[in-house]
Amino acid sequence: MSANIQAVRGMNDILPDEAAWWRHFEATVEAWLERYGYRNIRMPLVEHTQLFRRAIGEVTDIVEKEMYSWRDELNGEDLTLRPEGTASCVRAAIEHNLLYDGPKRLWYAGAMYRHERPQKGRYRQFHQYGVEALGLEGPDIDAEHIVMCAALWRDLGLGGIRLELNTIGSAEERARYRADLVRHLEANVDRLDADARRRMHTNPLRVLDSKNPMVQDVVAGAPALTGYLGQESKAHFEGLRRLLAAAGVQYTINPRLVRGLDYYNRTVFEWISDALGAQGTVCGGGRYDGLFAQIGGKTAPATGFAMGNERLIALLRDGERAPATRPPDAYLLSHGDGTHEYAFTLAEVLRGAGYAIVQHAGGGSFKSQMKKADASGAWTALIVGADEVRDGDVSVKFMRKAEPQYRIARAHVVAAFADALQKART
Ligand code: HAM
């Protein structure tokens, strides 16, 4: 016998009980996005590999080792399953000239793919909500995004998510800083691990967020990027901080926060929960004013963030408030010759009137059907036997109340069922 085929490692099924939490989460997030005036955009899951190489950066974990890429031999194209949404969103904005009549506030949702080592909170297929504001350059929009996130955590009833904030200046400011940082790293090369040594010349800023204590020690003695910021970058950051203070948003400045994607400039931030173990970052983002030009568009300022659904839903579940799901209004069962057709069409009449009706399938005794009705959580059972068919009726039984079963006429079933359901629920 051949072995069972299982899901691909790091790619999860979301079973119905779990999916109830997802739907509660999605409904809350989408109502929140609407309140802030963001519009939905949907991009393909597959893009040209070159898009991510240019946008995310050649020397990043994602591009170096985490992308699901392949050559489509039919067209001779190099393609990749999207590891994130920002690059696709900007590609779409350029391709369709979305900014022709002004800035755009957009959101997208869906699966992203990264070939990481799976562990709790880290998967190879995971889901994000992404928010991007394209064409806006002031710190007010950075502040809008951060304040928005704080509001969402409140809407979701999640406490204990803290904000880390940093500014990484402009590309020119970083280039000057980079030169001095590399000098410092070179002088301390004997205390760097293999990863840091490799990154030292290719992407030295990434050495700043190394988790290795010995490397962190070297980083602690390194010059700080803040010392290299020009007037405009400083003013932008100060503007953001003033708005956050006005909104009463608490944060810590983490000068080592540089993020894992290379398109950022100025503002970067992450929201972190300590309740999730090693994978505690539930949301991250920042400004990326260079990205439009980098992937071939006209220069346009932009800023955004994305949150990890799996991580936020894990936090929601810890809160133990199971989301309310709508139980069926009726479980419809039938027993006896010729009753099934009668029940089958009756179910459609009630559904047509808006009721949630689960019709028993698969036969079985009356008793076993009643057990299924009970297990379904329905408010009522609707019973069709030979007598009901003969008299043009249907019997109603309340499932959560001890009251005698009674009959209603099929000719007036919609009105009579409305009345029955109300009684069953009160
Ligand atoms: P990111 O920091 O790579 O940013 O991902 C955002 C969030 O997605 C993370 O904070 C985390 O919650 C979740 N996430 C990332 N990788 C995984 C994984 N393997 N398993 C589970 N969850 C994961 C971006 O993707 C940027 N596009 C955000 C952005 C939008 N910046 C500007 N606009």
Side-chain angles (χ1 to χ4, degrees):
M1 212 175 70
S2 57
N4 288 341
I5 296 174
Q6 298 191 328
V8 174
R9 186 165 135 80
M11 308 208 180
N12 301 314
D13 296 309
I14 299 165
L15 302 180
D17 282 346
E18 172 78 4
W21 287 97
W22 281 71
R23 298 191 60 195
H24 164 67
F25 173 76
E26 288 160 0
T28 308
V29 171
E30 289 178 25
W32 160 83
L33 287 163
E34 201 160 85
R35 283 208 315 275
Y36 284 86
Y38 284 73
R39 298 185 67 205
N40 187 213
I41 179 167
R42 296 168 187 237
M43 299 83 66
L45 268 67
V46 174
E47 298 273 1
H48 291 287
T49 303
Q50 201 51 32
L51 173 68
F52 300 117
R53 303 189 84 91
R54 272 209 245 162
I56 297 170
E58 295 283 351
V59 193
T60 55
D61 285 345
I62 296 178
V63 170
E64 277 182 334
K65 53 189 187 203
E66 295 173 359
M67 295 205 300
Y68 286 88
S69 301
W70 70 97
R71 168 153 270 246
D72 180 343
E73 296 294 350
L74 295 176
N75 299 312
E77 293 175 314
D78 291 315
L79 304 178
T80 293
L81 271 178
R82 64 178 183 193
E84 61 109 45
T86 308
S88 308
C89 187
V90 170
R91 196 256 322 128
I94 296 169
E95 188 167 335
H96 304 286
N97 197 18
L98 281 188
L99 301 191
Y100 82 99
D101 62 347
K104 291 285 173 296
R105 286 177 163 90
L106 303 171
W107 69 268
Y108 51 82
M112 309 290 162
Y113 300 85
R114 296 184 193 174
H115 199 278
E116 301 194 74
R117 201 167 45 75
Q119 62 179 84
K120 182 170 170 275
R122 186 164 73 190
Y123 310 102
R124 290 180 173 170
Q125 175 183 277
F126 62 97
H127 299 77
Q128 288 183 343
Y129 271 95
V131 172
E132 316 288 358
L134 309 180
L136 294 162
E137 65 183 347
D140 49 352
I141 192 78
D142 301 19
E144 173 174 301
H145 283 175
I146 289 172
V147 167
M148 249 176 110
C149 290
L152 179 61
W153 315 146
R154 281 196 300 276
D155 286 1
L156 291 167
L158 298 176
I161 302 180
R162 60 193 165 78
L163 173 62
E164 291 195 355
L165 183 64
N166 192 22
T167 175
I168 57 169
S170 68
E172 300 73 46
E173 288 153 6
R174 273 199 310 284
R176 275 201 303 281
Y177 171 65
R178 200 181 136 120
D180 287 356
L181 177 63
V182 171
R183 257 192 295 283
H184 174 81
L185 295 174
E186 278 171 343
N188 293 280
V189 69
D190 48 323
R191 290 194 288 147
L192 298 182
D193 59 17
D195 211 39
R197 280 180 203 194
R198 198 171 51 82
R199 289 256 149 104
M200 181 164 72
H201 295 291
T202 51
N203 197 350
L205 262 73
R206 286 310 307 278
V207 178
L208 295 180
D209 67 358
S210 164
K211 302 278 180 291
N212 183 334
M214 200 169 60
V215 177
Q216 273 181 9
D217 230 38
V218 175
V219 165
L225 177 52
T226 14
Y228 296 72
L229 297 183
Q231 242 355 82
E232 284 182 28
S233 290
K234 277 190 193 155
H236 188 95
F237 198 47
E238 284 314 312
L240 169 60
R241 295 190 63 179
R242 267 198 303 280
L243 286 165
L244 294 181
V249 175
Q250 308 281 317
Y251 57 88
T252 53
I253 293 184
N254 176 358
R256 292 207 302 267
L257 179 66
V258 291
R259 310 259 312 125
L261 307 100
D262 281 353
Y263 48 61
Y264 294 107
N265 68 305
R266 291 192 175 161
T267 313
V268 289
F269 64 89
E270 287 186 351
W271 291 91
I272 301 157
S273 165
D274 294 322
L276 289 171
Q279 305 303 320
T281 306
V282 294
C283 176
R287 184 158 278 286
Y288 50 93
D289 298 323
L291 187 54
F292 272 77
Q294 219 166 297
I295 59 179
K298 230 171 52 204
T299 301
T303 188
F305 62 93
M307 58 188 121
N309 298 5
E310 282 80 0
R311 296 181 188 177
L312 284 163
I313 289 165
L315 285 178
L316 271 182
R317 297 198 56 149
D318 282 351
E320 279 180 50
R321 281 178 302 109
T325 49
R326 179 185 175 183
D329 297 317
Y331 191 93
L332 177 56
L333 43 97
S334 54
H335 58 109
D337 285 347
T339 57
H340 193 63
E341 292 80 354
Y342 183 94
F344 200 77
T345 50
L346 177 65
E348 281 300 291
V349 169
L350 287 168
R351 290 175 189 134
Y355 294 107
I357 311 293
V358 177
Q359 180 164 24
H360 179 79
S365 68
F366 178 71
K367 199 168 150 211
S368 79
Q369 292 193 36
M370 273 311 279
K371 265 199 191 144
K372 295 262 166 48
D374 199 30
S376 76
W379 289 105
T380 66
L382 291 176
I383 302 159
V384 175
D387 292 353
E388 282 86 354
V389 173
R390 185 195 60 222
D391 301 340
D393 286 343
V394 54
S395 290
V396 186
K397 182 171 168 47
F398 297 166
M399 299 304 286
R400 310 201 195 171
K401 235 173 160 179
E403 267 180 43
Q405 173 177 324
Y406 66 100
R407 288 210 198 176
I408 56 181
R410 177 167 185 159
H412 315 289
V413 72
V414 171
F417 182 66
D419 182 57
L421 187 60
Q422 206 198 352
K423 289 193 186 117
R425 298 173 67 144
T426 47

